[in-house]
Amino acid sequence: MSLLDEEGNQDESLESKTLSAEDQVKDHSTGTRVVAGQIFLESGKSDSQSENEENFHSQEEEKENSLEELNSLEMSNLLNKDLEEAEIQSPVLTAIGGTADGEPCHFPFLFMEKEYAECTADGREDGRLWCATTYDYKKDQKWGFCESEEQSNKRRQMQEAEDVYQIGMKILNESSKKAQKKVAYQYLLKAADMNHTKAMEKVSYALLFGDYLKQNIQSSKELFEKLTEEGSPKGQMALGFLYASGLGVNSSQAKALVYYTFGALGGNLIAHMILGYRYWAGIGVLQSCESALTHYRLVANHVASDISLTGGTVVQRIRLADEVENPGMASGMLEEDLIQYYQFLAEKGDVQAQVGLGQLHLHGGRGVEQNHQRAFEYFNQAANAGNSHAMAFLGKMYSEGSDVVPQSNETALQYFKKAADMGNPVGQSGLGMAYLYGRGVPVNYELALKYFQKAAEQGWVDGQLQLGSMYYNGIGVKKDYKQALKYFNLASQGGHILAFYNLAQMHATGTGVMRSCHTAVELFKNVCERGRWSERLMTAYNSYKDGDSNSAVVQYLLLAEQGYEVAQSNAAFILDQKEASIVGENETYPRALLHWNRAASQGYTVARIKLGDYHFYGFGTDVDYETAFIHYRLASEQQHSAQAMFNLGYMHEKGLGIKQDIHLAKRFYDMAAEASPDAQVPVFLALCKLGVIYSLQYIREINIREVFSHIDMDQLLGPEWDLYLMTIIALLLGTIIAYRQRQHQAIPRAAGLRPAVPQQEPPPEHQPPQ
């Protein structure tokens, strides 16, 4: 399944769960709970979450009991009233043509000994819908069409488009080969030409990013405009992106904001995320932490509910600028030959290699695609060899279930017990989960707490997360927000996304801590950036590596709009290198400057130095040494960058943007050498140059005659200083004369050793004897 499909499917499933506009703006500052390691707002709980909490919360039971005690007669009266209103509001279908034109359709009606509660096409070859106006069609022969011929043709066309769309989606989802996916998109193109909304959404994004179709910004823009007219939130969000980035249209932040807002109101999560970042950073809107919190929390709720207790997939953040400086070091990607080496070791029975490959395939990342089948096989091999870690991960796979491994609490419990008996923290945490939620065993909070504590003591993030949840809710222990905060912090240091989510909820509501909107937004932003759309970071990186910079830059630009710092710096890097032909040559530097600025505001050192460089050299802006100096100083003070310190030294040396000061220049050069060993050679050369300049400046500043006129040689060297000086001069002259004589004596011998030029060499018999 392609990333584009996954994003589409997730958007559809999540948009269906989106809160109404009133719910979105409602204040959720009170009444939060942790369920399965996630703090959920009471106003937004699902049925399954409520069922999980029944055992813990008597208040919920009291509410349910009070509802049951309502008078059944009153309830039935209310229901009858609602049904009557619904009947009154339902439209009455009128027959068109046939034998009963203008008469109301009768439902149900009997046709060929079968009752129909709605219009049908049975009995007609043309597929037009019809109804009877009396109960018994055979007896009365009273009928008419439910739709005009034009409506019928349109309906049949849409049905045909739906059939074509389903064929395309089936091929797309069932095949992993690029050639097959291209075939699938031909079906989707055909369905899009027939105005199928979902097909148009798929095709428009494929044209925008160049996924399996040739990239065509103009065609994608036309489709987005068509989708926007139809009220598609995906189309509105994408059109907002085009206006924000100036792709295919003249850039307009005002129009971008309007389309983003409509997309968010329609339930598009990416639009919510973009608005959250814009309100947080003050881009095109007044900076508002509370507005950013509203948008980010909405998206984070969906991301957290979609993530299993394994902590979610790994987000690979590769910075192109860092990779150029240190190829292969910054990416964290595993080379293909290294993966093959580990596979070879695993086949030979190396248990550590089997467990490592199992984890890589379970979570995905570092250049390895997520593959539960292969993960299961590797874990099985290692578990059979007695590895406790593999047993515990098999327990997790059975506990959660997937297409490969059927969900089985009993099997999971067996593996967890085996691993826990061997002291494995993953197994202990799994047993704790079983006792906490009664999975295969009776609910036992004391045992759950015991196993979570054992796992947490060994630093396992799941144990820390669940221990924090128990303290937060007071399950099996006395409610203690400070302890909850402690364990959530520990789990967040291990990178568990649900720990970030729980901490964000605590800071957003001021539970156990001082309320901090800024901290809550940063934590929610971290959660949002771990959604499935983050997988496009790797897609964009692969596009760039394949030489398709246009596709890569568009993908990075969309992710940059969502607030991904790594996408902002990568988009700026591609523009800086002038590798994207879809952006005009005159626009590359100004756009790169914009994204370097956004990346720098999120703390990326290289971006801050780049901002200094752009203002120093006048790339995309006017030459401004003062602003360049400010950026270099920020990078020096906040991130201790050796490059920034060196640049500050140079500016002090030359007096650019600051008063010339050779002493301060030397100080910054020395600081650069201390900050990085790589800076020592350029610093040495700069200091040598600085020494020469300092000497010349000193000589220029002093008056030589005045200096000599104030020198008393008799006092300095004694009354016979002239004799000493003449003796020294005589010795120097004698040395020079002796050296010159030796040199003249050595010349004939040296000349005899020189090879003669062939053309001038006399015949051998005429050579003088040596």
Side-chain angles (χ1 to χ4, degrees):
M1 189 173 183
S2 71
L3 173 62
L4 198 69
D5 311 325
E6 287 178 3
E7 283 180 350
N9 291 342
Q10 189 190 26
D11 278 357
E12 288 163 20
S13 62
L14 293 179
E15 282 171 17
S16 65
K17 297 187 286 184
T18 302
L19 302 175
S20 66
E22 291 180 3
D23 291 335
Q24 289 174 20
V25 298
K26 195 181 291 181
D27 183 18
H28 300 296
S29 59
T30 59
T32 57
R33 290 229 174 83
V34 179
V35 182
Q38 305 169 45
I39 302 179
F40 285 103
L41 305 168
E42 284 187 1
S43 56
K45 288 177 185 169
S46 66
D47 295 336
S48 61
Q49 293 161 7
S50 300
E51 287 171 11
N52 288 337
E53 292 181 4
E54 279 179 4
N55 298 322
F56 320 139
H57 308 294
S58 58
Q59 289 181 355
E60 293 297 320
E61 291 177 1
E62 288 172 11
K63 288 179 184 176
E64 289 172 9
N65 292 336
S66 63
L67 285 172
E68 287 173 5
E69 290 169 5
L70 287 172
N71 188 293
S72 59
L73 182 61
E74 290 178 4
M75 293 293 286
S76 62
N77 288 339
L78 287 169
L79 287 170
N80 289 336
K81 187 178 177 183
D82 288 342
L83 288 170
E84 286 171 10
E85 287 177 0
E87 286 175 7
I88 292 167
Q89 290 173 2
S90 61
V92 178
L93 283 173
T94 304
I96 302 170
T99 58
D101 184 33
E103 294 182 21
C105 293
H106 188 286
F107 297 113
F109 63 88
L110 188 67
F111 173 65
M112 296 184 72
E113 300 181 358
K114 180 182 174 183
E115 281 194 344
Y116 291 86
E118 58 185 5
C119 297
T120 181
D122 291 355
R124 294 194 64 84
E125 292 181 0
D126 59 4
R128 283 187 73 178
L129 296 174
W130 65 277
C131 68
T133 57
T134 60
Y135 175 72
D136 193 338
Y137 168 79
K138 186 176 181 181
K139 177 185 174 185
D140 301 321
Q141 298 285 313
K142 302 278 283 181
W143 68 279
F145 292 112
C146 296
E147 57 189 0
S148 65
E149 191 170 353
E150 184 182 349
Q151 290 171 329
S152 174
N153 291 336
K154 188 175 181 181
R155 181 180 57 79
R156 286 200 299 273
Q157 185 182 4
M158 289 309 297
Q159 184 57 51
E160 186 184 347
E162 176 66 23
D163 294 340
V164 174
Y165 172 76
Q166 291 299 337
I167 292 169
M169 288 304 297
K170 187 179 179 184
I171 297 170
L172 201 61
N173 295 336
E174 292 179 357
S175 176
S176 58
K177 293 180 179 178
K178 195 172 181 179
Q180 286 295 311
K181 289 185 181 291
K182 285 184 176 180
V183 171
Y185 267 95
Q186 292 307 311
Y187 281 102
L188 294 177
L189 265 172
K190 186 178 177 183
D193 289 339
M194 298 164 75
N195 295 323
H196 189 282
T197 304
K198 287 184 179 179
M200 285 196 290
E201 287 174 350
K202 289 275 183 193
V203 169
S204 57
Y205 277 94
L207 289 168
L208 178 65
F209 298 133
D211 289 342
Y212 309 113
L213 292 174
K214 187 178 179 182
Q215 190 176 32
N216 190 325
I217 303 292
Q218 197 60 37
S219 296
S220 68
K221 186 202 82 162
E222 291 168 5
L223 280 172
F224 288 139
E225 287 174 339
K226 196 171 182 180
L227 286 165
T228 299
E229 288 172 7
E230 294 179 7
S232 164
K234 285 185 182 179
Q236 291 162 341
M237 184 280 293
L239 201 55
F241 163 65
L242 292 182
Y243 276 107
S245 55
L247 294 172
V249 292
N250 292 325
S251 179
S252 171
Q253 297 303 319
K255 286 184 179 179
L257 186 63
V258 169
Y259 286 119
Y260 284 149
T261 305
F262 278 115
L265 289 172
N268 186 273
L269 296 178
I270 293 177
H272 274 295
M273 197 171 165
I274 291 170
L275 286 175
Y277 175 67
R278 287 192 160 227
Y279 278 110
W280 183 62
I283 299 170
V285 291
L286 285 174
Q287 199 167 12
S288 170
C289 184
E290 294 299 331
S291 297
L293 181 62
T294 302
H295 289 289
Y296 271 131
R297 179 157 53 184
L298 181 71
V299 181
N301 287 342
H302 289 295
V303 173
S305 66
D306 194 44
I307 283 179
S308 66
L309 293 172
T310 53
T313 54
V314 177
V315 179
Q316 205 73 38
R317 299 171 189 263
I318 304 169
R319 290 191 178 91
L320 300 178
D322 291 350
E323 197 176 48
V324 168
E325 292 291 327
N326 303 297
M329 293 295 290
S331 68
M333 303 289 288
L334 291 175
E335 297 291 337
E336 185 63 33
D337 54 353
L338 189 59
I339 295 170
Q340 289 176 358
Y341 173 66
Y342 285 135
Q343 288 171 344
F344 172 76
L345 290 177
E347 288 168 8
K348 291 292 182 183
D350 189 306
V351 176
Q352 293 302 322
Q354 290 166 350
V355 174
L357 284 171
Q359 286 181 280
L360 274 174
H361 284 97
L362 178 64
H363 300 295
R366 302 198 69 185
V368 179
E369 286 188 7
Q370 195 173 32
N371 188 324
H372 283 189
Q373 179 65 50
R374 300 203 68 179
F376 181 73
E377 290 168 1
Y378 283 124
F379 285 141
N380 244 333
Q381 291 171 20
N384 292 335
N387 184 276
S388 63
H389 218 60
M391 293 175 190
F393 273 99
L394 280 174
K396 287 173 78 71
M397 291 188 78
Y398 275 109
S399 177
E400 292 174 8
S402 65
D403 295 337
V404 175
V405 182
Q407 203 281 333
S408 171
N409 287 333
E410 291 73 22
T411 311
L413 196 65
Q414 289 173 12
Y415 280 115
F416 284 144
K417 277 183 176 176
K418 285 181 183 178
D421 290 342
M422 298 169 72
N424 185 277
V426 187
Q428 290 166 345
S429 178
L431 266 185
M433 291 293 292
Y435 282 112
L436 180 63
Y437 296 109
R439 296 174 182 170
V441 289
V443 172
N444 188 324
Y445 298 141
E446 288 182 10
L447 281 175
L449 186 70
K450 171 189 167 185
Y451 282 115
F452 286 143
Q453 283 175 335
K454 285 185 175 181
E457 284 167 7
Q458 296 188 62
W460 182 241
V461 289
D462 280 358
Q464 293 164 343
L465 176 76
Q466 296 304 326
L467 205 54
S469 301
M470 293 186 79
Y471 276 111
Y472 185 91
N473 279 330
I475 302 170
V477 289
K478 187 180 178 181
K479 192 177 286 189
D480 189 336
Y481 291 134
K482 280 189 167 44
Q483 284 290 92
L485 189 70
K486 170 191 167 184
Y487 285 111
F488 287 150
N489 271 319
L490 287 170
S492 70
Q493 288 168 19
H496 204 303
I497 186 170
L498 295 181
F500 286 115
Y501 177 79
N502 294 344
L503 285 172
Q505 290 286 23
M506 292 183 78
H507 281 94
T509 57
T511 307
V513 290
M514 286 287 291
R515 186 180 187 275
S516 171
C517 177
H518 184 78
T519 305
V521 167
E522 287 188 338
L523 289 165
F524 275 134
K525 182 175 182 286
N526 193 316
V527 174
C528 294
E529 289 181 0
R530 298 278 286 277
R532 287 187 187 175
W533 39 77
S534 64
E535 293 171 23
R536 188 160 286 285
L537 284 168
M538 275 309 297
T539 312
Y541 175 75
N542 291 331
S543 296
Y544 181 76
K545 283 296 175 186
D546 292 340
D548 192 353
S549 297
N550 285 336
S551 174
V553 78
V554 173
Q555 294 177 77
Y556 278 134
L557 284 170
L558 178 57
L559 291 164
E561 281 288 298
Q562 292 172 245
Y564 286 90
E565 175 268 305
V566 66
Q568 291 166 346
S569 59
N570 286 352
F573 176 81
I574 294 172
L575 292 168
D576 179 78
Q577 300 295 308
K578 296 191 174 182
E579 294 176 333
S581 60
I582 58 169
V583 179
E585 192 173 343
N586 295 332
E587 297 177 15
T588 52
Y589 282 137
R591 292 192 187 193
L593 179 66
L594 173 72
H595 287 95
W596 284 130
N597 194 25
R598 291 181 183 177
S601 66
Q602 296 198 61
Y604 184 39
T605 310
V606 173
R608 180 66 66 189
I609 294 169
K610 280 286 186 181
L611 282 177
D613 293 345
Y614 273 47
H615 284 96
F616 187 91
Y617 295 108
F619 293 159
T621 183
D622 296 330
V623 172
D624 188 342
Y625 294 132
E626 288 81 2
T627 305
F629 183 84
I630 290 168
H631 287 300
Y632 290 143
R633 190 177 64 189
L634 284 170
S636 168
E637 292 174 355
Q638 295 175 2
Q639 287 99 19
H640 305 289
S641 165
Q643 178 67 60
M645 292 170 186
F646 186 91
N647 293 353
L648 285 171
Y650 181 82
M651 294 186 81
H652 275 293
E653 177 191 327
K654 295 292 184 182
L656 300 172
I658 194 75
K659 186 180 177 183
Q660 189 177 27
D661 191 327
I662 290 176
H663 301 286
L664 273 176
K666 183 181 184 305
R667 180 185 167 195
F668 278 110
Y669 284 142
D670 289 338
M671 286 168 63
E674 290 173 10
S676 172
D678 295 337
Q680 288 178 358
V681 173
V683 164
F684 172 76
L685 295 173
L687 287 174
C688 290
K689 176 189 169 190
L690 198 64
V692 172
I693 292 170
Y694 180 78
S695 301
L696 291 172
Q697 185 178 344
Y698 178 75
I699 291 167
R700 194 182 303 118
E701 287 176 357
I702 64 172
N703 191 322
I704 302 296
R705 286 186 178 180
E706 283 186 16
V707 171
F708 279 106
S709 65
H710 286 87
I711 294 175
D712 187 351
M713 299 299 289
D714 289 342
Q715 189 178 357
L716 186 66
L717 298 174
E720 298 176 349
W721 65 269
D722 51 343
L723 293 176
Y724 301 145
L725 184 61
M726 288 173 66
T727 305
I728 291 168
I729 293 170
L731 287 170
L732 284 172
L733 284 170
T735 304
I736 292 167
I737 292 165
Y739 175 75
R740 297 276 294 183
Q741 285 178 344
R742 280 189 182 183
Q743 200 174 29
H744 284 302
Q745 290 171 3
I747 286 170
R749 289 197 296 271
L753 295 173
R754 287 180 189 166
V757 180
Q759 288 83 352
Q760 296 176 351
E761 184 181 16
E765 60 271 23
H766 298 292
Q767 283 188 3
Q770 294 293 324

